[in-house]
Amino acid sequence: MPAPTQNRTETSTTTGPSGTATGTALPVLSRADTARLLGTALGPIVAQGVIARRPRIVAAAGRLGTDDRSVRLLQTLRDRYGDGPVQVPIPGRPSALVLGADGVRRVLEDGPEPFTPASWEKRGALGHFQPHGVLVSHGAARAERRRFTEAVLDTGSPLHAQADHINAVARQETELLRDDAARSGAFDWDAFVVAWWRIVRRIVLGNGAREDHELTDTLTRLRRRGNWSHLAPRSEHLRERFASGVRAHLRRAEQGSLAARIAQTAPDPDDGTTPEDQIGHWLFAWDPGAAVTLRALALLATHPEVRGRARAEAAAEGPADRPRELSVLRAAVLESTRLWPTTPLLIRESTADTTWPGGKLPAGTSLLVPTWFLHRDDRRREDADRLDVQQWLDGSARDDWMLTPFSGGHAACPGQELVLFVASTVLATLLEDHHAVLLPPESFDAARPLPRGLNPYALRFGLARSAAGRV
């Protein structure tokens, strides 16, 4: 891929709202710019639901073009204040924007001290359903919970140790969806997400959990409370209902499921690590995987060259009933996550004073990495508004700290390979001997800049058996 425009080097010179030098202290947003940041960029993100998406508000944000406006605003702020950190004077919550690759790398790599992912906001939000999850843990407890999570999820392996079973589950459920859609002529989000959650429950908890909609519905209720973070009272009743449901499935430890792997990878109970707390986060993380996969299908449906490459690769890698890496489809999923990040804002909290070119940030500062902006900044990225799977195939994207679709550093998503494997298997199954067409209301032309907002809940696809030679 063409290299992104070189980032401006951080210096000790600070520019004020007028663009003039003001000294050597770290820059601080003016009150007016802080109000614009909160109202135009951060406000819409929070309103759409940080822990559980609110479909109606997601749709409204798309109609209003909030993603376009927020990208333009962040470009203006960076022109005025530099790559950062730029202090954001939010009353009662010291915060700073990180807008350059060097700063992003430092914040994500230097941890969990002095930059911890267990920020005040996350502790409030995730505490509703996983108060002892790895993402909101510290010290030895965090290390043990991360070890347990990585062992079960087989972090770092493109094909999970239980890939045969996972592949079979993903294909079975997707074939049911595909065949039904081929008969009716189309499918939408509602049909897809039912199939997706059946896949997820079977993979994580076993076949006996296939129809346990109540379990994941209960988790969704808890996550909706998590949207309000510290403002919503915690429901111990709901949390125990979810936890007891998980424990019931874990007791079966069905062969091939992650539940069976959990039984073989006992966590350390001395630090309060319980499987159900970690599973709460895994299931939460699978939810945006559905949106990522469906958006990737929209890209494939509108980019015949990439779709053809994906089909050729799938055919070359052998029988579909055997697990395969499917690199092109994985790259399409990564591009879906880059173009429309499901975690639009990465947050780290400083546990000590930190020194930056130009000044210091105090301990307790919330450092904000706006992935939705960094991924789609058309002033610095030639690929900002187009599909570019090649950057993931040649590895150049993985060395680019402006791209963090699965976070990065010490808190990078431990399940990213598993999600990529399942998503690419689902896509391969949908496209196997079938042709998908993106239907209204969402539409875009591959020859034009891709939209910065793409509502997954409005996606609909026509699906039919492929004619001979049709890609």
Side-chain angles (χ1 to χ4, degrees), residues 284-320:
F284 154 54
W286 275 105
D287 185 37
V292 166
T293 305
L294 214 55
R295 284 167 170 157
L297 182 60
L299 291 171
L300 292 164
T302 53
H303 291 76
E305 187 272 334
V306 176
R307 185 172 68 246
R309 289 175 63 186
R311 281 181 162 159
E313 179 187 62
E317 288 200 8

Side-chain angles (χ1 to χ4, degrees), residues 49 72 123 131 135 173 213 229 282 299 345 373 420 445:
R72 289 195 296 271
R123 294 195 303 273
L135 200 58
E173 298 295 347
H213 304 283
S229 190
W282 302 349
L299 291 171
L345 194 67
F373 163 65
L420 290 171
D445 182 349

